[in-house]
Amino acid sequence: MNRRGLLSGVTLITATLAGCLGSPGNDSARPTKVENSQFETGVETNSRGIFGPKITVDQEAATVTVEGISEYGSSSCGYLRLQHVDYDTEQAVLQVAIGSGSDEPSEEQGYCGDDVGADSYRVVVRFDEGVPKRVEAKQTFGRENTEEFD
C-alpha cells in the first residue's frame, strides 16, 4: 500500500471537513434590540417555582420565554409584576426580573392578610433577530436561573 497516497488522502479529507464544519454557534445572529416584551400571570406552565425560572428560546421566532411560579406577599393584596427586561447588546445578555407588588386593602377588608400568595407567570421577549448568548432570570425570594445559547 502506498503510504504517501494514504497520508495525502487523509490530510485532504481532514482539511475539507475542517473547512465545512467550522465551530458550532458562530453563524448565530445576535439581537441588536428588543422589539417588545409581554408579561402575563395565571398561565399554565410546566415550570416548578421552587427550582426558579424556566428559560427557553425560539431561534426562528427570535424569542426568549421565561416562565415559572413565584411567591409574593399577602395573597389578598399582593401580585407578581415584571420588574425589568434589560438587554446588553455588547455582551448579548438578557436580564429578566420578576418581582412582587401590593395594593392597598379594600375598605371592606381593611387590612392585607398575613400570608404568602403564589402565581404562575410568563414573559416573552421578542428580538429583531436571533437570541441572546446568555439569559439571566430572577424571581422573588432569590430564585434564579441562567442559560447560555450558542
Side-chain angles (χ1 to χ4, degrees):
M1 180 170 201
N2 185 346
R3 287 186 197 179
R4 287 185 186 165
L6 178 63
L7 287 176
S8 66
V10 168
T11 303
L12 179 62
I13 290 171
T14 303
T16 303
L17 288 176
C20 291
L21 295 178
S23 46
N26 285 346
D27 296 334
S28 299
R30 297 292 179 209
T32 59
K33 66 179 182 174
V34 172
E35 293 287 326
N36 62 51
S37 63
Q38 297 174 327
F39 174 70
E40 58 185 329
T41 58
V43 297
E44 283 197 35
T45 178
N46 296 347
S47 178
R48 296 194 174 158
I50 59 172
F51 300 114
K54 178 181 173 185
I55 302 168
T56 56
V57 298
D58 183 335
Q59 189 75 254
E60 284 186 32
T63 59
V64 172
T65 301
V66 177
E67 61 184 4
I69 300 170
S70 187
E71 299 88 356
Y72 53 86
S74 171
S75 64
S76 57
C77 298
Y79 57 90
L80 292 178
R81 66 183 185 87
L82 180 60
Q83 252 180 324
H84 71 261
V85 172
D86 292 325
Y87 179 61
D88 180 339
T89 55
E90 211 171 280
Q91 299 293 318
V93 175
L94 173 68
Q95 295 179 326
V96 176
I98 307 302
S100 61
S102 65
D103 293 325
E104 292 295 319
S106 66
E107 285 187 30
E108 303 87 49
Q109 188 177 5
Y111 65 93
C112 291
D114 192 19
D115 62 347
V116 175
D119 202 355
S120 59
Y121 67 87
R122 180 177 300 120
V123 179
V124 179
V125 181
R126 182 173 311 283
F127 293 93
D128 57 343
E129 64 178 336
V131 296
K133 181 178 182 177
R134 189 172 71 232
V135 178
E136 301 170 350
K138 296 179 182 182
Q139 65 187 42
T140 59
F141 295 100
R143 294 193 180 101
E144 55 188 70
N145 188 17
T146 299
E147 296 284 342
E148 297 205 12
F149 304 97
D150 288 329

